[in-house]
Amino acid sequence: MSRQTAGLISLGLLRELPASSLSPRVGRPHVPLDVDTRRHLACGVHIAVPFVTFSVVDLRGQVVAREQRPREGDAMTVLQMIIRHLPGFLARHATGSRVLGLGVVTGGRVDPELGLVVEHEPLDWRDVPVRAVLAAATGLPVHVDGHARALAQAEILFGDPRARRSLLHLFVGNVADAAFATDGSVHIGPNSAAGGIAHLRLADSDAHCRCGRSGCVQATLSERTLLRHAVGEGIISRPDLQDLLAAALGGDRRAVALFRDRLRVVGRLIALLVDMMDPEIVVLTEAATLFLPALRADLFAEISAYSRVCAEPERMVLPSSFGPDVLAVAAGAAVLDAVHRSPHSLLAGLTTPRPAAGAASPRRPATPLTRHGN
Ligand SMILES: [Zn+2]
């Protein structure tokens, strides 16, 4: 243990805390340890339908910096924009730290092994070689993954400890994606298609889907559908989720009702998935769950009514651990997962980093790691 932790300390991944930070105890002396968030950072890019989010996150998954740019044009136009924006972004927010890699995440079907976005329907992307293009342009190790899976990994690393045993993560935005994990490992599948729920058929929906059928999960639940209804009912004048959230937060009952109706459908979907998988916990990344917490009661009621196994949805179903940071964390999570799994891979090409100027102490409490003194 001591040799391993000494190695991680010399890599700048762990640091020793003053002994006084632990209460005195009987037995061998302990040196408290903490993740060293000062020297290494992960860079992330989250590609969504309306915008691209650039982020810098530390080894605890805390967001250090974030910027957004509108997403415009086809896949290569977006990748070229990312290549132009990254150097300035890293100069502004990561100077003095070692950037461990670039995580790129998006919805739809993503093959992490090939670094390929296989299919993202709302973006109209097919077989986009994201890793090849961005690795060549940036010289950084590039990790590409689906955002539902990346967020599942982030929950396993930083969220409720039950997630390490088994977890279902559901993402509902412009795409609807799921990811599931057991024993700390997120299932990808031979076709990189695990968690693809977009075209599961919902019994009580007749929403027309691009696939030619109707009632598909994504067509029913997507933000596009939600915003189309909101504009159609005259609640908002343009299809913008922030506008609709502002209306709901401002007390517009029609806006609240739209979010509530969608959340009820999400509840029925969760009941279905929970009954199939029986996970320890479910993490839901969805706007109303995050920003209109009063509506969670409707979600729980629907799950209770439809699930055969979920007796206490309020204990089992949690909103994302990352709140409004969720896209920024998702992007960095692909890198952090690689680092936490194989920290010694950092030995390759190690340079001596300088601590970031003014690096803040971690916002979360120190991990309960201790090292036996010799
Ligand atoms: Zn469909």
Side-chain angles (χ1 to χ4, degrees):
M1 183 69 185
S2 281
R3 191 177 303 161
Q4 282 188 15
T5 54
L8 295 175
I9 289 169
S10 72
L11 286 173
L13 297 176
L14 287 180
R15 66 190 179 110
E16 293 184 356
L17 298 175
S20 60
S21 63
L22 276 187
S23 53
R25 51 185 292 174
V26 181
R28 286 201 283 169
H30 286 65
V31 179
L33 295 175
D34 191 15
V35 174
D36 190 340
T37 54
R38 300 166 303 176
R39 298 208 228 170
H40 295 99
L41 296 169
C43 182
V45 174
H46 182 280
I47 302 167
V49 172
F51 46 74
V52 175
T53 304
F54 295 80
S55 67
V56 168
V57 297
D58 71 19
L59 292 183
R60 282 185 179 282
Q62 302 280 325
V63 177
V64 175
R66 156 184 39 187
E67 293 179 5
Q68 282 190 336
R69 286 284 170 282
R71 186 207 57 85
E72 289 159 343
D74 63 9
M76 285 308 149
T77 308
V78 172
L79 294 182
Q80 290 304 323
M81 181 275 285
I82 292 168
I83 290 166
R84 281 196 308 277
H85 190 69
L86 265 178
F89 175 72
L90 288 175
R92 282 189 289 283
H93 304 296
T95 301
S97 296
R98 181 162 183 245
V99 176
L100 294 169
L102 174 65
V104 183
V105 304
T106 189
R109 200 164 127 204
V110 178
D111 185 330
E113 207 167 309
L114 297 176
L116 196 68
V117 175
V118 180
E119 183 181 40
H120 188 307
E121 289 168 61
L123 290 183
D124 236 347
W125 286 22
R126 267 173 203 280
D127 295 326
V128 179
V130 171
R131 184 172 65 207
V133 173
L134 294 183
T138 65
L140 288 167
V142 177
H143 304 261
V144 183
D145 209 346
H147 63 187
R149 285 202 293 259
L151 280 168
Q153 273 159 355
E155 294 287 346
I156 290 166
L157 286 170
F158 308 115
D160 188 305
R162 292 175 292 170
R164 289 164 215 167
R165 294 198 287 273
S166 57
L167 162 75
L168 168 70
H169 175 245
L170 179 60
F171 184 101
V172 178
N174 268 304
V175 294
D177 285 324
F180 55 95
T182 53
D183 297 327
S185 183
V186 180
H187 184 60
I188 297 171
N191 300 296
S192 309
I197 55 162
H199 300 284
L200 293 187
R201 182 95 194 267
L202 290 167
D204 42 7
S205 166
D206 58 2
H208 179 71
C209 180
R210 289 164 56 132
C211 76
R213 295 188 296 173
S214 60
C216 295
V217 164
Q218 187 161 287
T220 308
L221 295 176
S222 81
E223 267 160 26
R224 233 174 232 190
T225 305
L226 178 75
L227 295 171
R228 195 174 60 238
H229 288 148
V231 171
E233 292 180 27
I235 303 169
I236 49 176
S237 58
R238 52 177 190 155
D240 185 309
L241 187 71
Q242 296 307 321
D243 288 0
L244 187 59
L245 274 171
L249 287 165
D252 187 321
R253 285 164 188 252
R254 297 167 305 164
V256 173
L258 281 182
F259 280 115
R260 177 180 286 123
D261 288 348
R262 185 171 80 151
L263 208 48
R264 284 183 175 148
V265 180
V266 170
R268 297 200 283 278
L269 175 62
I270 288 177
L272 186 79
L273 298 173
V274 161
D275 285 2
M276 184 192 72
M277 191 192 152
D278 194 16
E280 196 99 11
I281 59 167
V282 177
V283 173
L284 173 59
T285 302
E286 185 269 345
T289 325
L290 289 174
F291 299 108
L292 301 165
L295 296 185
R296 286 178 201 167
D298 294 271
L299 174 77
F300 297 148
E302 210 70 6
I303 295 170
S304 286
Y306 281 83
S307 169
R308 288 173 176 269
V309 302
C310 183
E312 292 183 286
E314 52 287 328
R315 275 199 72 242
M316 185 192 199
V317 181
L318 313 174
S320 164
S321 301
F322 309 108
D325 284 336
V326 68
L327 301 184
V329 172
V335 178
L336 296 179
D337 180 61
V339 173
H340 282 258
R341 267 177 209 285
S342 178
H344 290 283
S345 64
L346 286 179
L347 278 168
L350 183 70
T351 56
T352 310
R354 287 180 292 118
S361 57
R363 271 172 283 161
R364 293 189 188 188
T367 48
L369 282 171
T370 56
R371 177 164 72 120
H372 288 289
N374 291 320

